Structures are given as C-alpha cells and as structure tokens.
Amino acid sequence: MTDTAADGAAHDALVIEQFGPRAAAYVTSADHAQGADLERLAGLAMARRGARALDLGCGGGHASFAVAPFAASVVAYDLAEDMLATVRVEALRRGFENITTRQGGAEALPFPDASFDLVLTRFSAHHWRDLGAALAEMRRVVAPGGLVVVMDTISPDAPEADAFLDEVERLRDPSHVRDYSLSEWRDALAAAGLTHGTTTLGRLRLAFAPWVARIGTPADRIAAIRARQAEASAEVAAHFAIEPDHSFTIDTMMIEATP
C-alpha cells in the first residue's frame, strides 16, 4: 500500500490515536506477552549475543524484552510516544538498562545504513501504511551478515476467508491496513532485497472480549463483528474456529530473512 504525504500523516495520526491511550493494555495483553515466537526470537538473539537490535513497531515491548538479555543494545521504536513511555517504565522494572526508545514511523527510519545486527518486528506490520517502504528501510539499516525477523498475523489463501478477516479486523480497528498472506510476505521481502529463510507458522487464539476491549472498539462495531461471524460460511467458521462466545483463531508466521 502506498500513499500521499497527507494520507500517510492521517494514517499515522490514527494509529497514534488508537494505540497511545491503550499502551498499558498491550504491555499486559496475554496475546502479546507470551508465545512460541518470543521463545524462538530469544533463541535467535542468544545465538547472536552482543547484537545491536531494533524492534520496529515495538508496541508493548515484548519482542524487545525477549532479546534484551542477549543484545548489547535494543532500540524500541514506535509511532506512539505513550507506548514508548510505557515500554521505558516496564524495561526499567525488568532491569533492562540496554533498552532505549525512539519515536517514528516504519517507512522512514532515522538511523544510518547498517546500524543493526538484528532488525525485528512483531504484530505491527499489518498497521504499516507502506509495507514495501518499511521493508526497504529494514534492509537498509541491517548490517551485512545480520538478520531480519518478521512476525505477524497472516491471511489465508482462500479469498473468502481473506475477505472475512480483513472485514473484522477493520471493524475492530480502523487503523488496520492488511494481514498479508505468506506468499505476499515472501514477494515483498524479495522485492526489498531480503532473502527469506526459515519460516515458522502458528495459530493464535483471540479471546473475543479482551480483543475488542484492548483497542476500545465501539459497541456498534462489536455488534457488526458478531453479526459477520454469524453470517460466515461453514468453511470460514471452521478455518477461524469461531466459538460461541465469538472468540476465534488466526494464522501467524515468523520469517527469518537475510540481506
């Protein structure tokens, strides 16, 4: 997705408006604070002990916290200053003095070329207004021999299921751009000059009530999501394992890529 400067500024403002006031909820979110992907990420950081790391779209900081015990330094980077303030407090509480924060968007990073040995992003890219520009920036700031790690929710290949996920995501959070499919991710990484390597797929159950409460979804949009779930075909309902309380399960991926 590309945009004009005005469109980009408006989107960034919407992301800040959506996430800034809810920073604490993302630090404590069980969906974000745990997972096999964080354990694998910690293992990758351990294998690159002493790396300079960048956590792009850090949110509540959980990826930063996973790599901090092994990294020489970690820059937690996000659009929302309120989110960064919460990360700073939590980092100090955990004793991670090597974590610093920086505010900004993914599409234009304020860092020199080859600044980092490990560049990562987790559950952020579906909010980026220009995926190609952000990946090109990740490629630019990763050092030769470094590693780029992308973790995100992904859409199914089936068009009907893809459309369903896109609709409910946008109803919940108007700053949502797209959950890309695995093939779209691989094409985008290649276009940015990154070679995708090990890919780990997973499933993430989203308890409905915390999912909508975390972002402050209005009641009318919550009702619309529930209605859309009720209308879903048997195939879509089965893929997302939609439950009676409207909780459901989505696909995730973790791609390790090299410059």
Side-chain angles (χ1 to χ4, degrees):
M1 178 181 177
T2 58
D3 53 24
T4 66
D7 289 341
H11 177 76
D12 289 354
L14 179 59
V15 172
I16 293 170
E17 178 185 350
Q18 287 288 102
F19 287 91
R22 300 173 179 88
Y26 278 82
V27 171
T28 59
S29 164
D31 292 335
H32 294 79
Q34 58 194 16
D37 60 338
L38 288 177
E39 296 173 10
R40 182 171 181 83
L41 179 62
L44 293 173
M46 184 185 300
R48 293 162 177 77
R49 191 178 292 273
R52 302 161 295 167
L54 170 64
D55 180 7
L56 186 57
C58 66
H62 300 294
S64 292
F65 304 149
V67 304
F70 315 105
S73 61
V74 182
V75 177
Y77 184 85
D78 201 272
L79 262 177
E81 177 55 40
D82 288 346
M83 193 74 79
L84 295 173
T86 303
V87 170
R88 287 193 292 271
V89 170
E90 183 66 12
L92 288 176
R93 189 187 72 81
R94 299 185 186 209
F96 294 141
E97 297 182 358
N98 59 338
I99 294 179
T100 58
T101 61
R102 191 79 177 265
Q103 190 273 335
E107 295 81 6
L109 301 179
F111 308 109
D113 295 357
S115 296
F116 301 97
D117 308 298
L118 178 61
V119 179
L120 57 107
T121 183
R122 181 175 187 256
F123 296 162
S124 173
H126 54 269
H127 294 286
W128 296 349
R129 53 185 167 79
D130 190 331
L131 179 66
L135 290 178
E137 282 290 87
M138 295 175 80
R139 170 65 180 84
R140 180 182 67 79
V141 301
V142 70
L147 184 68
V148 171
V149 182
V150 178
M151 297 161 279
D152 207 2
T153 51
I154 55 174
S155 67
D157 288 327
E160 184 184 8
D162 179 17
F164 169 87
L165 181 61
D166 187 63
E167 183 177 355
V168 299
E169 288 271 37
R170 290 174 184 271
L171 283 168
R172 172 188 177 255
D173 171 16
S175 73
H176 179 87
V177 173
R178 174 159 173 74
D179 290 312
Y180 299 95
S181 68
L182 185 59
S183 61
E184 286 175 317
W185 266 111
R186 288 174 170 165
D187 289 346
L189 287 164
L194 292 162
T195 301
H196 64 80
T198 301
T199 301
T200 306
L201 301 179
R203 297 272 284 170
L204 176 64
R205 180 182 180 273
L206 296 169
F208 188 82
W211 181 64
V212 293
R214 189 162 54 240
I215 199 65
T217 306
D220 60 333
R221 287 177 169 261
I222 293 173
I225 295 169
R226 288 172 172 159
R228 184 65 184 88
Q229 288 181 330
E231 298 164 359
S233 69
E235 291 78 12
V236 168
H239 179 88
F240 292 105
I242 299 173
E243 302 172 30
D245 71 347
H246 303 285
S247 299
F248 64 107
T249 299
I250 57 176
D251 301 297
T252 65
M253 62 88 191
M254 177 176 182
I255 297 179
E256 301 161 36
T258 53

